[in-house]
Amino acid sequence: MEKIIKHETTDNSGEFTKSDGYRDFLIFQLGNEEYTVPALLVQEIRHLDKSIEVANSPKFVKGVYDLRGDVIPIIDLRILFNLPFSEYDDRTVIIVLHLASDVKIGVITDGVIDVIKISPINIKETTQLESIIHSDFINGIAIIEKRALLFLDIQKLYKGIKCHFPAS
């Protein structure tokens, strides 16, 4: 059975739109928090595999991974978001996000929870919450069934990661 819950939504770039159509969002977990990304950006979800370490990369970059000929960086969101350390386990997954025609990244999460449909009604901007949540990469929040869902801003995330690497 498909869940239909009314929320605000984003377009394919992760930016908010005022459309009243529902969009699919993937919910994943980091620590005790639940985050969402537009399902259209999710290429695949993989169990945590061994990646190739890259010397002199930021701590949040766990390495690169060869995904059928595409070399993609693997980012540990716990480290990037300064969350407490947690051992990887059998629920730990890599979500491969397809950001643009030639841009893919893999993000390590504590697990995937669900895919839900969301409409642009209930998501609130996080500007009032900046003092209590790490909002650099968050562009909205929705309270659903007494759960707070944090909307990950994929474009800001990518720009934030990209600034740690020298221009090529």
Side-chain angles (χ1 to χ4, degrees):
M1 186 167 110
E2 190 172 63
K3 293 182 181 180
I4 298 180
I5 302 173
K6 291 187 174 192
H7 307 319
E8 208 162 304
T9 186
T10 65
D11 64 15
N12 216 13
S13 69
E15 296 299 319
F16 287 110
T17 65
K18 295 300 177 192
S19 161
D20 28 332
Y22 290 96
R23 303 253 171 103
D24 289 328
F25 284 83
L26 176 77
I27 302 173
F28 63 90
Q29 188 167 6
L30 283 176
N32 295 325
E33 298 174 342
E34 293 180 350
Y35 293 82
T36 67
V37 292
L40 285 174
L41 299 180
V42 177
Q43 178 174 327
E44 64 185 271
I45 299 166
R46 304 182 58 86
H47 286 286
L48 185 63
D49 294 330
K50 181 85 171 130
S51 58
I52 301 165
E53 292 184 22
V54 178
N56 298 318
S57 61
K59 289 189 184 299
F60 61 82
V61 177
K62 298 311 277 184
V64 295
Y65 185 75
D66 183 351
L67 183 66
R68 294 179 294 283
D70 289 331
V71 177
I72 60 171
I74 304 298
I75 309 302
D76 189 323
L77 291 179
R78 275 184 163 277
I79 296 171
L80 184 65
F81 292 177
N82 294 314
L83 294 173
F85 174 78
S86 178
E87 293 287 337
Y88 297 145
D89 60 25
D90 59 343
R91 290 188 33 139
T92 306
V93 295
I94 298 172
I95 301 172
V96 178
L97 300 170
H98 195 158
L99 307 180
S101 62
D102 61 343
V103 178
K104 296 176 189 171
I105 62 170
V107 293
I108 299 174
T109 70
D110 293 341
V112 170
I113 297 172
D114 204 354
V115 175
I116 63 172
K117 290 197 174 288
I118 299 177
S119 176
I121 294 173
N122 296 338
I123 296 177
K124 308 301 178 208
E125 291 184 10
T126 58
T127 52
Q128 301 152 6
L129 304 173
E130 288 177 358
S131 63
I132 59 172
I133 65 170
H134 180 75
S135 61
D136 291 350
F137 305 115
I138 306 301
N139 63 0
I141 186 170
I143 307 299
I144 303 163
E145 300 169 3
K146 299 182 181 179
R147 294 170 27 197
L149 297 178
L150 299 170
F151 287 74
L152 196 58
D153 187 325
I154 300 300
Q155 298 307 319
K156 279 187 185 174
L157 176 69
Y158 177 65
K159 288 176 187 171
I161 292 166
K162 193 174 172 185
C163 77
H164 287 276
F165 297 96
S168 48

